[in-house]
Amino acid sequence: MNRASAHRPRRRAARARWTATVATAICAALVTTACTPGGDEPGGGADPVDATAIEAIATDLPNDPVTAAEQLVAEILADDDARSAAATAELLRRSGHAIVSVDGSVVAAPDHLAMIDAPVYAELVPMLAEATRSGDWYSIEQFATLLTAVGLTDQDAAPVQVAAAIGGWAKEPGDHAIFASAAAGVRALAGQRQQVLYAGADPAEVFFDPLQTTLLLGHATSRFGEVAAGAGGPVPEASGPGFIDAILGVGVAHAAPAGACGEFASIFASPDDPAVKAHSDFLKGELKDRLAKEFLTEGGKEAFDKANEAWGKAGAAASAIMLLLATRLDLSADKTSTHFKHRAGTRDEHITLTATARFDPKVALETIECYSLAGMEVPKPGPMKDMTVRWSSQQPQVGGLQHGGAQLLKAISADSVKMDGGSKTGADGTATLEVKPPVEDPSGEGEQLKGKATFIASLDKEKFPFELGDAYGFLANAVGFAVGKTFDLLKDVLVKAGLPSQSIVLEVAYHGVDIIVAQGENEVNLILAKLPRVYVDLVSCAGVAGPFKGSAGYDGATSSGMLQAAGGITGVPVPSDFAGQDNPISVLTNDREGPNPFFIMTGEGGAQFLDGRLTFFPFLNARAEILADGRVGRPVGEVEILLGGSSFPFSDLSWPIVRVKEDPRCPKVSYFYDAL
């Protein structure tokens, strides 16, 4: 892999003294560290991003902030480690995060406007980029809990509120470039996973990666200050017409040298109080305004804006969460597909999942000297012993409501306790979970079916890889980070937010039945006459893909001139040469989520008469439906009979398609788990 050739920012020769209570420490030691041979050597294989790398990645970017953000996301998710880290830093910078070094120097400053409370350490950027590319994720619920923990909300917002606020963020003409950049980056990262952030997004299917979480947390909680002329980079274009491009206070002189840990303060045009200069018009498109409209209580935003302790807490939490990304949890399997057992007692069909926990800071990092984690000693890299790995799974019911076999895969008997209490990593940092499929009874009977089971591993959020110290120091600069004794507050944030999770998808094949029934009947009122019964009765023994087989048609009508006249008035060409017909049907669906039309029969003169349409839901429905014969099923879609090619407005001719336990037209198959 390519590595950056950038050098670590040079330390200053002279350091200013910190004031009285500066940096008594956040101690960071592994709770229990088992280092392999060579574990005493500094970790990493990457360099922190530097100004040269960031400038190089920005060279060919378009001026439009949205397009530039989307291009940066493509670079972040590509295969080049060094360019990915540099693109991550540039997206953060364009979004208002200053990139700083742990020793106090400023690597890259934003343009015009910067977040006062959320600088990002250059040394942590490679970890942030890798965790984002590796698929680490936080649920929407975890992010909502994080906002409550830092004090923005007094109770967790509903996922629909969070998704709605973010989905509509910074889309208006005139929104400031840093908001347009951040919002476009967040949405582009989601788009790369084919996820859309909007009010109706399914929280089980949509999540935030670590980079999205960093951007969102910063913009939800930080104050903004004007960057002094010449401190930032080139001026970006506005996100649309009406951008207020006047920079407030251009040319204000920098404050006196700020000292080793005060350089960040000096980038602001008004270092004594940077937030004073951030005029509300300048902040058009701020995320907090979107959040306020969605779920902040009355006066909540004002209360938060005045909460200096909350600012410090939020900024420190973001930095600590980024540092925790060095705690890598990799999830693998000895194979990613299997088949139901054909006889009890075999192990060939079992899958062993392995979660590996290690501390890998990516760069040689021993002490964080400045800013929000000042005084933290970083643990040495290596495998992490005695960490608790929590296991969970998301999987459909096998065969819907079939007898037995409620899961595609479950833990073997010896490992079943791990699904409840988790499992400890050993000296090599690994924890395993062995899972098994059920046994077919009888074996090989029925259709060949496939399903997918997702297994999730996460480190126990109640136990973190290092203990935080009992105090933060006060840094001698007006920007802040004077958060006082925040250990308890910060630990509370981290415990509630948890650590990112890793997941793996396992494919499981099996013989059997997945019974889907599409049936219904009703009369058709043609105003002057009626068809006493039109009906459809189809079954698939192989799930929604089909084939659906059965019959459909109509009966009970008396062929007469009146019936044909009534049909003519309503546009239904009822045949005149027979009073009913039962037609065999076979339908193989092409699109599980779209309408699947099928032919039933033609009418008078060969005109279009009766047709059907199968439509399947893209989501799991837990509602119960009772069929006419008393069977209970779960809806998976809808079947409709069309007359003359259209829905008929005067009769209800649509019925739920349901998954049921059994049907006489399908073989009887059940499943059981053996004693292994």
Side-chain angles (χ1 to χ4, degrees), residues 153-283:
T153 56
D154 50 16
Q155 61 183 10
D156 288 4
V160 64
Q161 294 173 307
V162 177
I166 296 168
W169 174 32
K171 288 185 174 180
E172 298 296 323
D175 287 344
H176 194 284
I178 68 165
F179 306 130
S181 297
V186 167
R187 287 191 283 266
L189 286 162
Q192 291 284 342
R193 300 188 295 268
Q194 297 184 338
Q195 297 174 352
V196 180
L197 294 168
Y198 70 108
D202 183 353
E205 299 293 333
V206 175
F207 53 83
F208 299 132
D209 60 49
L211 179 51
Q212 287 174 307
T213 302
T214 300
L215 290 167
L216 291 170
L217 183 59
H219 277 268
T221 60
S222 189
R223 298 167 297 170
F224 295 87
E226 177 201 350
V227 176
V235 178
E237 285 186 358
S239 60
F243 171 59
I244 301 173
D245 55 4
I247 304 173
L248 303 179
V250 173
V252 174
H254 282 243
C261 292
E263 186 174 324
F264 174 55
S266 69
I267 73 170
F268 293 98
S270 180
D272 290 338
D273 190 352
V276 168
K277 300 292 290 185
H279 189 274
S280 60
D281 287 344
F282 203 67
L283 298 180

Side-chain angles (χ1 to χ4, degrees), residues 270-486:
S270 180
D272 290 338
D273 190 352
V276 168
K277 300 292 290 185
H279 189 274
S280 60
D281 287 344
F282 203 67
L283 298 180
K284 190 173 186 303
E286 189 179 2
L287 179 58
K288 274 188 286 189
D289 288 337
R290 292 285 311 173
L291 297 175
K293 292 176 183 176
E294 289 294 335
F295 55 82
L296 285 185
T297 57
E298 185 176 352
K301 183 174 182 294
E302 292 182 7
F304 180 77
D305 284 343
K306 297 176 182 177
N308 291 332
E309 186 173 322
W311 288 324
K313 182 181 173 185
S319 294
I321 287 172
M322 287 184 64
L323 181 61
L324 285 172
L325 293 175
T327 305
R328 303 301 307 144
L329 182 66
D330 296 327
L331 182 59
S332 61
D334 59 350
K335 56 178 176 283
T336 56
S337 63
T338 189
H339 194 288
F340 277 17
K341 297 184 180 185
H342 281 186
R343 62 184 178 86
T346 63
R347 303 191 84 100
D348 291 344
E349 301 86 356
H350 291 199
I351 295 177
T352 299
L353 302 171
T354 301
T356 303
R358 70 184 192 281
F359 190 75
D360 181 11
K362 286 297 170 192
V363 298
L365 190 62
E366 297 178 2
T367 303
I368 298 178
E369 301 173 29
C370 297
Y371 307 128
S372 57
L373 297 184
M376 175 173 279
E377 295 179 1
V378 180
K380 289 182 172 60
M384 303 177 69
K385 182 183 177 183
D386 290 334
M387 298 300 295
T388 299
V389 176
R390 299 290 181 185
W391 302 95
S392 61
S393 70
Q394 296 174 349
Q395 49 187 310
Q397 291 177 314
V398 173
L401 300 175
Q402 294 301 303
H403 298 293
Q407 292 179 305
L408 293 167
L409 296 167
K410 66 178 295 185
I412 63 172
S413 300
D415 281 0
S416 59
V417 66
K418 296 179 181 179
M419 294 299 293
D420 296 321
S423 54
K424 295 284 189 181
T425 58
D428 60 355
T430 66
T432 62
L433 179 73
E434 186 177 345
V435 296
K436 64 181 180 182
V439 182
E440 298 174 1
D441 183 22
S443 64
E445 184 73 26
E447 302 285 344
Q448 173 82 3
L449 306 174
K450 289 184 178 180
K452 292 182 178 180
T454 300
F455 276 81
I456 303 163
S458 58
L459 287 177
D460 190 335
K461 68 179 182 178
E462 300 297 333
K463 185 177 182 182
F464 288 95
F466 35 81
E467 293 289 348
L468 301 176
D470 64 358
Y472 278 107
F474 290 86
L475 297 184
N477 64 71
V479 171
F481 306 114
V483 295
K485 188 174 181 180
T486 60

Side-chain angles (χ1 to χ4, degrees), residues 432-605:
T432 62
L433 179 73
E434 186 177 345
V435 296
K436 64 181 180 182
V439 182
E440 298 174 1
D441 183 22
S443 64
E445 184 73 26
E447 302 285 344
Q448 173 82 3
L449 306 174
K450 289 184 178 180
K452 292 182 178 180
T454 300
F455 276 81
I456 303 163
S458 58
L459 287 177
D460 190 335
K461 68 179 182 178
E462 300 297 333
K463 185 177 182 182
F464 288 95
F466 35 81
E467 293 289 348
L468 301 176
D470 64 358
Y472 278 107
F474 290 86
L475 297 184
N477 64 71
V479 171
F481 306 114
V483 295
K485 188 174 181 180
T486 60
F487 164 65
D488 291 333
L489 297 177
L490 181 57
K491 189 171 183 179
D492 182 58
V493 171
L494 298 180
V495 167
K496 288 183 178 180
L499 291 168
S501 302
Q502 280 284 339
S503 59
I504 192 169
V505 177
L506 307 175
E507 187 174 271
V508 185
Y510 60 99
H511 291 95
V513 288
D514 184 4
I515 304 173
I516 311 291
V517 172
Q519 63 179 206
E521 63 177 68
N522 203 357
E523 69 176 16
V524 177
N525 182 2
L526 299 177
I527 302 178
L528 299 177
K530 67 180 180 181
L531 297 173
R533 178 174 178 260
V534 296
Y535 60 93
V536 61
D537 186 6
L538 306 177
V539 65
S540 167
C541 303
V544 295
F548 283 82
K549 296 183 178 181
S551 60
Y554 81 104
D555 62 26
T558 301
S559 182
S560 66
M562 178 64 73
L563 182 60
Q564 275 69 55
I569 294 173
T570 56
V572 180
V574 181
S576 60
D577 55 347
F578 54 86
Q581 186 168 312
D582 183 28
N583 275 8
I585 304 295
S586 179
V587 185
L588 185 63
T589 63
N590 297 315
D591 182 355
R592 293 189 175 195
E593 297 183 14
N596 296 271
F598 59 91
F599 167 75
I600 299 177
M601 66 180 64
T602 57
E604 186 66 21

